[in-house]
């Protein structure tokens, strides 16, 4: 996989959620240029071309970052803060995709500059619908800044 | 009066009547010049006294005074050069044709009168005032002697021949001198003797005029008596009058002074009784002060102690008085206390001793106790003393220790509570986040099973998958309700006036959307505007009305009534339905979390709705209750305070 050709960066630690999400995105042909990071540290390495991703073009940013909040090592809000603090990644749309419906998470996410906040529905049909809609909107419909 | 004397004598001159100018056969006549001066002096003084603010009177008086003094000097100089002034020359001849020169004493009197008047008018209150008073006094004395001489027919006193002083002149001078002294006021001696409340002044005020009257009467009698009778009769009368009046005066003097002495004695006794009473009162006051009071002299010796001192320190009064104050101070502080005491003696003032310091006192048995001490200097007739009020702080100190330990305990508890609260919060957070994920997986993968393996499943397999999905849905609902309930406890109340009528109508419209309206009868009564948290109160009505709809859903027609009864300081809202009701014996379980009175297959629910209702109402300071009977419908009521004070 060419790390410079990634449209969607998907940060999620729960393998079941990953499988369900990928299934939903595949149905809309959105999973081809997707990279899945299993924790916040990997996500930051990917975005800023560090560690295993040294040599990646930092300016080749994805069209969309799907970000969970509760993550091992570096949590989602930290990742969001780093993304929005860096000139190169600031304009990449970030959609929080999380189980938490807590007000403080919602408020903090928007305060840090998240573009959207989605609570993962428990119901699978709703969940599939939400994930594929979000992927389609941001990765296909939305015109990013280049 | 002085002017009057002058006028009378002048009239005598003009009319040619010697009696008017001389007032008696023994007296020579007063010269016309003198008489005129008396008139002028008297008039000027009247002017001056009547118009104290007008300078004209003062100037006139001063001018007359200067003139009189000049006249006196001129007349005296006449004597000095052996050429007595022929007084009559001054104004030419008068109808009363008597040659008469000015007597030396009259000339001197004019000089004195002029100077005294001038000084009294121009410089009262200064040393000249004193001089004026002295001159006037001299004038008074000299002419008094002359007048007495005439009264008692004693030529030695008034002079003879050319040196004799005329009676009118003497009377005029006498009056003038009194006038000057009165003008100068009571600030000078001898006038000072007469003013004030002292017994001396009072006696003098009474007896001086009396003696004057007696002397005058006696003199007049002695004067006129010989004409009617013999010498011995006059002497007898005079002696009788004199003795009689003397007895009378002595009697009066004794009575007046005796009375005033008696009065003074009584007042003194009353004052002494008062002092004794006051002193006794202060003594008992001193003794009844609950704090220890110790009075110490300058050398640090105990002078007095009150009763509390004996009780507090365990000493008898006699064991303390005369001993150094250090006896009451623990050994280790004694040396330092000598220094403090010296410092205080140098700058005595009311102050708290060692505010904020831990001071200790020592009892007779050697035990110590914490004290608080106030010091105050006493300036007494016995010399400077120091008053110290010693307050036993044992109780306060132990109370303080108690308070501190309680405060510490409270702080610890609050800390515990905070950490428990934090734990709860993180618990609900993980419920929110972590319980949902596996549920989603269960639901999601059962869905995948149904989608991808549909052809391999039989009817029973599909039913089982349906049961799995139904249960995940319910579990999701439970989690959401539980979260909503726990969030209620943490959220702050945003209180604002709520129009309940509008709010309830909105809730009813939302809940009945898509329902068969013909099967429903919902009556909403008049509802007031009440303060509260709109979102929370809305949840209360949502839960209660949804319950009413749910439990009356089995009836042919649901009848739901929502209303309000205003009470004192609160409003009671109710939601009544015609549903299945419940057995009142389970009423206490209604509002518990996850408590349900109905089976799941009869009525769906998580058992959180009424718990939320109760929590919201409690946090608003109100109460919730329900009344029902099985199959008879139910009424759920809650109260809300009319003001926001009771919210928590």
């Amino acid at each position: 996989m060419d790390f410079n050709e990634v449209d969607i960066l998907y940060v999620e630690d729960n393998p079941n959620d990953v499988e369900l999400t990928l299934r939903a995105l595949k149905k809309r042909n959105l999973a081809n240029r997707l990279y899945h990071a299993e924790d916040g540290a990997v996500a930051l390495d990917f975005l800023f071309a560090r560690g295993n991703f040294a040599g990646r073009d930092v300016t080749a940013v994805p069209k969309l970052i799907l970000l969970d909040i509760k993550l091992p090592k570096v949590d989602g809000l930290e990742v969001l803060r780093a993304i929005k603090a860096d000139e190169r990644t600031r304009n990449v749309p970030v959609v929080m995709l999380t189980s938490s419906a807590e007000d403080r998470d919602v408020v903090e996410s928007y305060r840090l500059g998240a573009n959207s906040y989605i609570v993962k529905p428990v119901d699978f049909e709703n969940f599939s619908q939400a994930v594929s809609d979000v992927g389609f909107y941001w990765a296909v419909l939305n015109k990013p800044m280049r | 009066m002085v002017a009057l004397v002058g006028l009378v004598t002048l009239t005598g001159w003009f009319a040619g009547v010697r009696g008017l100018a001389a007032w008696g056969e023994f007296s020579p006549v007063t010269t016309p010049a003198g008489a005129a001066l008396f008139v002028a002096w008297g008039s000027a003084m009247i002017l001056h006294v009547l118009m104290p603010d007008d300078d004209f009177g003062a100037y006139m008086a001063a001018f007359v005074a200067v003139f009189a003094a000049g006249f006196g000097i001129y007349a005296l100089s006449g004597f000095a050069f052996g050429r007595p002034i022929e007084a009559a020359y001054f104004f030419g001849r008068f109808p009363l044709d008597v040659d008469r020169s000015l007597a030396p004493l009259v000339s001197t009197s004019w000089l004195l009168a002029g100077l005294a008047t001038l000084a009294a008018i121009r410089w009262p209150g200064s040393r000249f005032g004193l001089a004026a008073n002295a001159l006037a006094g001299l004038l008074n004395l000299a002419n008094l002697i002359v007048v007495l001489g005439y009264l008692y027919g004693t030529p030695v006193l008034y002079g003879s021949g050319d040196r004799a002083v005329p009676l009118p002149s003497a009377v005029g001078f006498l009056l003038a001198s009194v006038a000057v002294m009165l003008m100068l006021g009571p600030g000078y001696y001898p006038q000072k003797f007469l003013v004030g409340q002292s017994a001396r002044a009072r006696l003098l005020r009474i007896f001086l005029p009396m003696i004057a009257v007696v002397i005058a009467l006696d003199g007049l009698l002695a004067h006129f008596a010989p004409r009617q009778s013999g010498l011995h009769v006059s002497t007898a009368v005079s002696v009788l009058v004199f003795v009689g009046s003397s007895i009378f005066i002595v009697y009066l003097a004794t009575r007046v002074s005796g009375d005033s002495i008696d009065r003074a004695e009584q007042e003194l006794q009353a004052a002494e009784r008062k002092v004794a009473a006051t002193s006794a009162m202060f003594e008992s006051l001193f003794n009844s002060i609950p704090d220890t009071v110790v009075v110490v002299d300058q050398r640090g010796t105990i002078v007095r102690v009150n009763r509390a001192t004996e009780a507090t320190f365990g000493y008898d009064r006699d064991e303390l008085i005369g001993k150094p104050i250090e006896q009451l101070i623990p050994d280790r502080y004694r040396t330092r206390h000598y220094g403090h005491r010296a410092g205080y003696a140098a700058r005595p003032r009311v102050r708290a001793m060692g505010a904020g310091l831990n001071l200790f006192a020592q009892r007779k048995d050697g035990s110590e106790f914490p004290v608080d001490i106030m010091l105050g200097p006493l300036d007494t007739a016995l010399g400077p003393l120091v008053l110290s009020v010693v307050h036993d702080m044992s109780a306060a100190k132990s109370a303080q220790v108690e308070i501190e330990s309680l405060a510490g305990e409270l702080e610890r508890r609050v800390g515990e509570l905070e950490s428990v609260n934090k734990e709860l919060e993180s618990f609900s957070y993980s419920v929110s986040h972590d319980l949902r994920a596996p549920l989603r997986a269960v639901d999601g993968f059962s869905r995948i099973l149904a989608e991808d393996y549909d052809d391999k499943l039989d009817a029973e397999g599909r039913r089982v998958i349906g049961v799995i999905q139904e249960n995940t849905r319910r579990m999701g609902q439970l989690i959401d309700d539980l979260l909503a309930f726990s969030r209620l406890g943490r959220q702050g109340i945003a209180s604002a006036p709520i129009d309940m009528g509008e709010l309830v109508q909105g809730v009813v419209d939302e809940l009945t959307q898509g329902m068969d309206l013909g099967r429903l009868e919902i009556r909403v009564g008049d509802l007031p505007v009440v303060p509260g948290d709109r979102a929370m109160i809305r949840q209360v009505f949502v839960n209660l009305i949804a319950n009413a709809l749910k439990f009356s859903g089995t009836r042919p027609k649901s009848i739901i009534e929502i209303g309000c009864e205003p009470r004192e300081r609160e409003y009671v809202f109710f939601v009544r339905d015609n549903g299945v009701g419940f057995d009142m014996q389970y009423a206490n379980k209604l509002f518990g979390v996850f408590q349900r009175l109905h089976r799941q297959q009869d009525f769906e629910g998580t058992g959180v709705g009424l718990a939320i209702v109760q929590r919201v109402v409690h946090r608003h300071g109100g109460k919730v209750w329900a009344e029902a009977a099985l199959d008879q419908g139910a009424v759920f009521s809650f109260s809300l305070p009319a003001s926001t004070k009771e919210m928590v």
Side-chain angles (χ1 to χ4, degrees):
Chain A
M1 184 176 192
D2 185 351
F3 292 138
N4 290 329
E5 298 274 317
V6 169
D7 281 347
I8 298 176
L9 173 63
Y10 177 38
V11 193
E12 172 64 78
D13 65 321
N14 184 327
N16 294 331
D17 274 359
V18 171
E19 192 180 335
L20 294 172
T21 302
L22 289 181
R23 183 184 167 93
L25 289 173
K26 267 179 195 153
K27 282 190 176 171
R28 305 278 292 254
N29 268 328
L30 292 165
N32 299 332
R33 284 150 66 106
L34 178 144
Y35 181 75
H36 166 236
E38 57 271 22
D39 64 47
V42 173
L44 289 175
D45 281 354
F46 176 88
L47 280 170
F48 298 110
R50 295 183 306 222
N52 293 340
F53 303 95
R56 201 186 79 84
D57 179 8
V58 177
T59 60
V61 290
K63 287 179 180 173
L64 169 67
I65 299 172
L66 286 173
L67 187 58
D68 193 5
I69 286 184
K70 207 172 170 211
L71 291 168
K73 294 183 187 172
V74 182
D75 79 22
L77 292 174
E78 283 298 312
V79 174
L80 177 61
R81 199 191 314 273
I83 291 169
K84 293 300 177 185
D86 195 291
E87 199 62 49
R88 295 165 298 182
T89 52
R90 179 178 296 164
N91 294 317
V92 181
V94 179
V95 173
M96 309 306 289
L97 187 64
T98 171
S99 299
S100 169
E102 289 291 295
D103 277 351
R104 53 176 183 160
D105 284 341
V106 178
V107 169
E108 185 66 5
S109 296
Y110 280 119
R111 200 183 66 76
L112 290 173
N115 298 69
S116 186
Y117 190 104
I118 291 170
V119 180
K120 292 177 193 166
V122 172
D123 180 75
F124 178 66
E125 257 165 56
N126 293 338
F127 178 76
S128 302
Q129 194 64 42
V131 167
S132 62
D133 284 354
V134 163
F136 186 71
Y137 174 79
W138 289 104
V140 178
L141 287 181
N142 190 44
K143 168 82 181 150
M145 198 170 80
R146 284 289 171 196
Chain B
M1 272 178 87
V2 178
L4 203 63
V5 171
L7 273 177
V8 169
T9 32
L10 265 184
T11 314
W13 280 94
F14 282 110
V17 182
R18 190 181 182 281
L20 285 180
W23 297 3
E25 52 190 304
F26 303 107
S27 165
V29 291
T30 296
T31 61
L37 256 177
F38 278 127
V39 174
W41 191 91
S43 315
M45 287 306 276
I46 288 166
L47 262 180
H48 178 53
V49 172
L50 288 184
M51 295 180 288
D53 299 329
D54 195 339
D55 282 347
F56 178 70
Y59 280 126
M60 277 301 291
F63 174 73
V64 172
V66 170
F67 187 80
F71 180 66
I73 292 169
Y74 173 66
L76 279 175
S77 67
F79 289 108
F81 298 112
R83 278 197 304 110
I85 294 154
E86 289 294 328
Y89 290 174
F90 269 77
F91 300 102
R93 291 279 160 187
F94 284 87
L96 179 64
D97 198 7
V98 182
D99 267 352
R100 177 70 197 155
S101 61
L102 221 52
L105 184 58
V106 175
S107 309
T108 313
S109 291
W110 274 123
L111 179 58
L112 288 174
L115 289 176
T117 311
L118 188 63
I121 288 171
R122 299 303 297 171
W123 306 285
S126 67
R127 239 178 301 164
F128 289 103
L130 193 66
N133 205 50
L135 291 176
L138 202 61
L139 183 66
N140 187 297
L141 197 66
N143 287 285
L144 188 64
I145 291 168
V146 173
V147 172
L148 283 176
Y150 279 111
L151 269 178
Y152 287 91
T154 318
V156 183
L157 294 181
Y158 58 83
S160 55
D162 275 354
R163 292 182 173 276
V165 177
L167 180 57
S169 302
V171 172
F173 285 129
L174 206 56
L175 291 170
S177 67
V178 170
V180 169
M181 286 163 88
L182 285 179
M183 197 167 73
L184 282 165
Y188 301 96
Y189 288 103
Q191 296 98 301
K192 233 177 184 169
F193 287 126
L194 295 173
V195 294
Q197 284 304 308
S198 68
R200 181 181 67 182
R202 253 181 303 183
L203 287 173
L204 280 176
R205 277 204 294 275
I206 294 169
F207 290 107
L208 266 187
M210 202 174 276
I211 289 168
V213 167
V214 168
I215 289 172
L217 272 178
D218 196 48
L220 283 175
L221 272 174
H223 200 70
F224 292 111
R227 302 215 182 141
Q228 281 100 26
S229 51
L231 190 62
H232 55 281
V233 178
S234 113
T235 310
V237 169
S238 174
V239 165
L240 273 178
V241 168
F242 207 85
V243 168
S245 53
S246 295
I247 290 171
F248 181 67
I249 285 173
V250 168
Y251 163 73
L252 263 188
T254 316
R255 215 182 117 167
V256 170
S257 57
D259 277 0
S260 94
I261 287 168
D262 287 349
R263 214 169 25 243
E265 181 79 9
Q266 275 163 12
E267 278 167 15
L268 195 68
Q269 275 173 5
E272 267 170 5
R273 275 196 301 278
K274 216 165 163 182
V275 166
T278 312
S279 164
M281 189 191 78
F282 275 107
E283 183 69 36
S284 78
L285 200 71
F286 181 69
N287 271 319
S288 60
I289 294 171
D291 273 340
T292 298
V293 182
V294 181
V295 182
V296 177
D297 71 8
Q298 284 241 294
R299 292 190 310 280
T301 309
I302 297 172
V303 179
R304 286 191 84 160
V305 296
N306 69 344
R307 211 170 289 143
T309 311
E310 299 175 294
T312 307
F313 283 91
Y315 287 104
D316 277 345
R317 198 164 295 208
D318 302 336
E319 292 176 286
L320 288 173
I321 288 172
K323 301 281 163 45
I325 182 73
E326 277 76 17
Q327 188 172 333
L328 301 177
I329 293 166
D331 298 342
R332 61 181 191 284
Y333 296 119
R334 273 182 199 170
T335 326
R336 219 182 309 159
H337 190 264
Y338 293 124
H340 289 325
R341 193 149 55 67
Y344 188 81
R347 280 189 307 128
R349 65 198 189 280
V350 177
R351 67 174 175 89
M353 189 163 108
L357 293 181
N358 288 321
L359 300 174
F360 289 92
Q362 190 175 39
R363 297 194 188 88
K364 188 182 184 182
D365 60 15
S367 60
E368 292 180 14
F369 60 103
V371 290
D372 187 48
I373 301 175
M374 274 303 292
L375 294 179
L378 285 179
D379 208 6
T380 70
L382 307 171
L385 299 175
V386 177
L387 175 86
S388 55
V389 180
V390 183
H391 182 62
D392 186 346
M393 296 294 284
S394 305
K397 276 270 152 67
S398 66
Q400 198 182 338
V401 167
E402 178 92 347
I403 286 170
E404 273 164 13
S405 94
L406 284 176
E409 172 76 2
L410 195 69
E411 212 166 294
R412 204 176 55 71
R413 292 258 173 97
V414 167
E416 263 174 25
L417 214 67
E418 266 171 12
S419 78
V420 166
N421 220 18
K422 280 232 173 68
E423 249 168 55
L424 266 176
E425 209 168 308
S426 75
F427 168 74
S428 76
Y429 185 82
S430 62
V431 165
S432 158
H433 194 277
D434 296 348
L435 290 192
R436 269 190 238 236
L439 207 56
R440 193 162 45 246
V442 171
D443 190 54
F445 284 95
S446 67
R447 222 33 97 123
I448 289 172
L449 194 66
E451 273 179 26
D452 293 2
Y453 302 92
D454 189 51
D455 48 343
K456 291 178 184 160
L457 288 170
D458 60 3
E460 178 61 9
R462 285 189 208 107
R463 191 190 68 80
V464 169
I465 290 176
V467 171
I468 293 173
Q469 286 174 350
E470 172 57 24
N471 276 286
T472 53
R473 196 186 61 73
R474 276 196 50 219
M475 176 106 186
Q477 188 62 47
L478 269 172
I479 292 172
D480 286 348
D481 284 356
L482 193 58
L483 274 177
F485 180 69
S486 99
R487 208 175 293 134
L488 269 180
R490 289 176 283 145
Q491 256 170 20
I493 293 182
S495 184
I498 308 168
D499 181 346
M500 294 294 186
E502 182 223 316
L503 182 121
V504 167
Q505 197 54 57
V507 170
V508 168
D509 290 348
E510 187 189 299
L511 291 176
T512 56
Q513 217 170 18
M515 291 177 89
D516 176 8
L517 293 181
R519 212 190 59 72
L520 294 175
E521 185 183 334
I522 299 181
R523 305 177 204 141
V524 179
D526 274 345
L527 299 179
V529 173
V530 179
D533 185 310
R534 189 180 177 85
M536 289 190 187
I537 297 294
R538 187 175 197 282
Q539 192 61 49
V540 167
F541 277 112
V542 166
N543 292 2
L544 291 179
I545 296 171
N547 274 359
L549 286 168
K550 183 160 68 180
F551 293 109
S552 63
T554 54
R555 304 294 187 200
K557 188 166 194 174
S558 293
I559 303 172
I560 296 169
E561 191 187 347
I562 302 149
C564 174
E565 286 170 24
R567 296 216 184 136
E568 206 182 335
R569 279 182 294 196
E570 62 179 16
Y571 293 99
V572 173
F573 295 88
F574 62 87
V575 177
R576 178 180 290 129
D577 64 56
N578 63 338
V580 295
F582 56 87
D583 189 340
M584 277 302 276
Q585 79 177 93
Y586 305 118
N588 57 332
K589 290 188 173 175
L590 270 178
F591 299 99
V593 187
F594 297 133
Q595 293 281 354
R596 305 204 65 227
L597 301 183
H598 302 278
R599 289 183 301 170
Q600 191 67 32
Q601 54 260 53
D602 294 340
F603 295 100
E604 272 205 356
T606 55
V608 178
L610 286 179
I612 287 177
V613 167
Q614 185 181 48
R615 186 169 270 197
V616 168
V617 170
H618 279 180
R619 291 200 63 194
H620 278 75
K623 287 196 290 283
V624 206
W625 64 96
E627 289 149 287
L630 210 51
D631 245 18
Q632 303 281 309
V635 187
F636 282 83
S637 306
F638 67 93
S639 63
L640 286 179
S643 75
T644 56
K645 271 182 302 208
E646 280 122 86
M647 292 188 188
V648 289

